Amino acid sequence: RKVVTMLQAMQTKVTEEGKKADELFEKYMCYCKNSGGDLAASIESAETKIGELSASIESGSEKQEQLKGDLSSHQTDRDAANKAMSEATAVREKEKAAFDKALGESKTNL
């Protein structure tokens, strides 16, 4: 009789453990199904973003090259303007000196 009772208790215990294992397996499968879909959507979204970001990087690189060219052109123009201002200042100083000399002579003649 004791052996039969022990076997029945073992059977009950094994049945309960089986039910728990089934519940855990169901939770695991539900997680795999749900997270698998989320993961696939996340991967697809990231792949789409890769194309957009690559295009953005290329556009930024092209704009950077254009701005470098513009900067170089503007620096050349600035240097030319500074040179022209120096030359004009020198001419004006020379003309002023000639005028001052002529003015001095005119004052002495009067």
Side-chain angles (χ1 to χ4, degrees):
R1 181 94 175 122
K2 271 185 161 182
V3 174
V4 173
T5 307
M6 281 176 46
L7 286 175
Q8 287 175 344
M10 274 179 60
Q11 181 182 9
T12 306
K13 186 176 177 182
V14 168
T15 304
E16 288 175 7
E17 288 176 356
K19 286 180 183 177
K20 286 181 183 178
D22 285 341
E23 287 176 13
L24 289 175
F25 180 75
E26 288 299 320
K27 286 182 182 179
Y28 174 75
M29 290 306 293
C30 180
Y31 170 77
C32 288
K33 287 178 185 176
N34 291 338
S35 68
D38 293 344
L39 185 60
S42 176
I43 289 171
E44 185 177 326
S45 172
E47 287 176 350
T48 302
K49 246 184 182 176
I50 287 172
E52 293 171 3
L53 293 175
S54 295
S56 176
I57 289 171
E58 285 181 28
S59 172
S61 296
E62 290 171 2
K63 188 169 186 172
Q64 181 183 17
E65 290 301 319
Q66 178 186 1
L67 290 174
K68 282 181 180 179
D70 290 349
L71 178 64
S72 175
S73 172
H74 292 312
Q75 285 175 340
T76 304
D77 292 346
R78 185 188 68 196
D79 292 341
N82 285 338
K83 184 178 178 185
M85 282 179 27
S86 313
E87 291 172 357
T89 301
V91 168
R92 284 190 194 94
E93 287 174 357
K94 189 185 235 184
E95 289 174 351
K96 183 180 183 311
F99 175 77
D100 288 343
K101 184 178 179 185
L103 183 65
E105 289 176 4
S106 295
K107 284 183 180 181
T108 55
N109 289 336
L110 288 175

